[in-house]
Amino acid sequence: MKKVSMNQDWLFANGTITMMELFTGSGEQVQKVDLPHDAMILQERRPDTANAHQTGFYPGGEYTYIKKWYVPKEWEERITELEFEGIADICRIYVNGDFVAGNYNPYAGIYIDVTGYLKYGQENEVKVEVLSIEQSSRWYSGAGLYRPVHIWTGGRVHIPSRGVRIVTEDADKETALLSADIPICSRGTGTKSVQLRVALEDAEGREVSCDTVPVTVFEGESQCCSQRLTVTKPHLWSDETPYLYTFHAELLEDAELLDEYSSAVGIRTLRLNAAQGLLVNGVPTKLRGTCIHHDNGIIGAATFPDAEFRRCRILKEAGFNAVRSSHHPVSKAMLDACDRLGIYVMDELNDMWTRTKNPHDYANYFPEHWKKDVREMIEKDRNHPSVIIYSTGNEIPEAGTPRGAQWNRKIHEEIKRLDPARYTTNGINGLMAGTERMDEIMCQATGLSPEELEKMMTPDTDVQQAGADAVNGMAAVMIGPLADSIATCPVMEELLGEFASVTDIAGYNYLTALHEEDHRRHPNRVVLGTETFPADIVSLWDIVCRNPHVLGDFTWTGYDYLGEAGCGVFHYDGGENFSSHWPDRLAGIGDIDILGDRKPISYLRQAVFGIGTAPAIGVMRMDKEGKHADKTPWMWKDNIASWTWHGYEGKEARVDVYADSDEVEVFLNGETLGRRQVRGHIAEYDVPYYPGRLEAVSYRDGAETGRCMLQTAGQAVRLDVTADREALPADGESLAFLKVRLKDHEGRWNRQETKEVSVQVEGAGILQGFGNADPSCEGSYQDTMWSTYDGAVMAAIRAAKEPGEVRVTFRAEGCPEETVTLSVY
């Protein structure tokens, strides 16, 4: 079937608008929009919303979308489907006034055969009514038609829009064997003899394998045709060599093309065992992973291919080779980016099954819809080489019960039935699963009697009836020796033993002590850190490297995100983490902030991974010295790569040097502050602050391996603007990201100074979003004025549908204005 975009020119209404107002546009909240479109990011944040910090104080709402489009008369002899890649939250879909489908899962694709609902040779209407319910998500969900919409159309004999399955049966450097299962559908055409041609092209467009076979199709029936293709000297796909072929299938009748299908394909094999771990193309592979939510910062949850690719590229450059979609099926655009860049994917089914974590979350619907959800995820994923693991769920509260194990087994079996070529896991949280026996667990872990333990307990540490926020607030017990004792205590094994044995891989959230203990208890089990604290990477990666059965680590998290606000914010005003602390907007954690700038912990992780030789410097914020802020285990240090601290001359700065080396040496303005041993990839210094150059040099076996330098910046006198691209297709969907940094006369980045920066967009583009990386701030990402945070702001520019130029101008007091011109072609 042929795909046609339906993303332009939707009429959008926010709130309760009458149908007359909607059609006439007279309502105050009626506008035309292009998809993808995140309605939630447009909402005014409110401290009194029931969503509170979980969505960053963005409220829910009711939204209506209407699309008018002309359906040609010749389509009367064709099959037509509508595809919605994602609608958040609950929706009803109408075609020409008739109800055609409803949906409850904001992350599941929706496919609707609308052939019998269309008016041919006339204008048709699609209407989508969306209800974003408050307290339905633990993170920023977005709202509305936040992923693309497409029309699929094909002849009466056609290859459906989904259902094709391409599998690497076997592959090595000499030969690869691919099998392709291709469904062929017939709708009211009588018996026909057709030909099915399949072919594989390399990245240069050269055909490397093909075959043609006859197929008899019968009226009103569907059948699956299996074909095999042999490839000599194949290029094998992996994280280091993400080579993509293109698979083509054509249906022909007497040389006339009836229908066709194309898909990118990566040739790669997977094996898994406790003695060797994960093998990709026969090569042992460790997963340097990160969990990610689905928003893209200043543009919200709207899923644009350019935004997903940019985020993946930045993660890959920071040393990650794997992502875990947390906690929902990932977008098609993200999978395409991971295929192209070489990033392994763990795609996750859901965050809850039968027990709610929020009053209105998907546990209210999952028991009736789980099979459909599994099918949608598998059919979306199974031709992507990047996808190697499916997660059946995250921190499922019923994991410690027999019924929970039964649910895990059912979901695992359904996944393996639909896709036996990949592996399954589940992100198991011991605190979440053990809430009903937590007193017993704590007694075993601490050696205290129930009476002694009760004296130590506070209302905050009693999680018998706790929700997700309360369990997260208790996470401090899951670090250090107490965490190890909790993870390995007999009650925990009794609770989780059956549940963990169901999937191919035992996935543990914050249960690192089980990585090695599990191997002693269950020597054939493979283990994966499905979610871990950022600061654990030094000790945890040593465990990963020493144990073949431990596949890798997925930190929480590689990239900061909207919602779960305050999780990692350093509140120096007495504010609490994981609480409704207005105006927290972002989680405030992550190796990389929402503008894509790497934090010092990102370089520590890179050193631990052994990627690169240059050291990196992190300086504790001198303006916060002497002030206190509570910390959660997800927080690292409140430091920054800057040696600009005007007004703090002569005071000591706490400096970290991160390096994959034996020793480092620090120089201040050319004078050595001494060599120090690197312990845990960190060397710490107390350095008196004086403006100039702070330099770090790393050594191994006495020989220099790399160096880095921070220089003090003078007064910010100009805006330095860099765009991640200079030309955009005129498709109404492509994005360019423009980073604005405060620079001094010498071009040094001043991260201490703050300026109000305005943006103006003219010509063939619009402003999709504008803002900074401050995790706790007011304002809207649709505002055209933002103050810098750590010396930077960023704008996202969306191309128009007509060619031309888009001029983006930035202004700030004391700086000459800067204009960047982008070509839209």
Side-chain angles (χ1 to χ4, degrees), residues 183-250:
I184 299 176
C185 297
S186 174
R187 298 273 290 272
T189 61
T191 302
K192 281 182 176 288
S193 295
V194 299
Q195 296 79 45
L196 173 64
R197 186 179 192 275
V198 295
L200 196 70
E201 293 179 354
D202 64 16
E204 287 72 42
R206 297 185 294 256
E207 198 170 272
V208 296
S209 187
C210 66
D211 200 2
T212 303
V213 296
V215 179
T216 303
V217 294
F218 300 94
E219 182 173 341
E221 294 186 9
S222 298
Q223 55 190 306
C224 185
C225 299
S226 297
Q227 290 295 103
R228 296 177 125 199
L229 292 172
T230 301
V231 183
T232 58
K233 302 292 183 182
H235 300 277
L236 302 183
W237 188 98
S238 73
D239 62 318
E240 296 181 351
T241 58
Y243 190 94
L244 293 175
Y245 292 85
T246 302
F247 173 84
H248 293 288
E250 296 179 336

Side-chain angles (χ1 to χ4, degrees), residues 34-46:
D34 291 338
L35 305 182
H37 174 258
D38 180 3
M40 183 173 279
I41 204 72
L42 305 176
Q43 299 284 89
E44 181 182 354
R45 298 170 69 228
R46 299 199 318 262

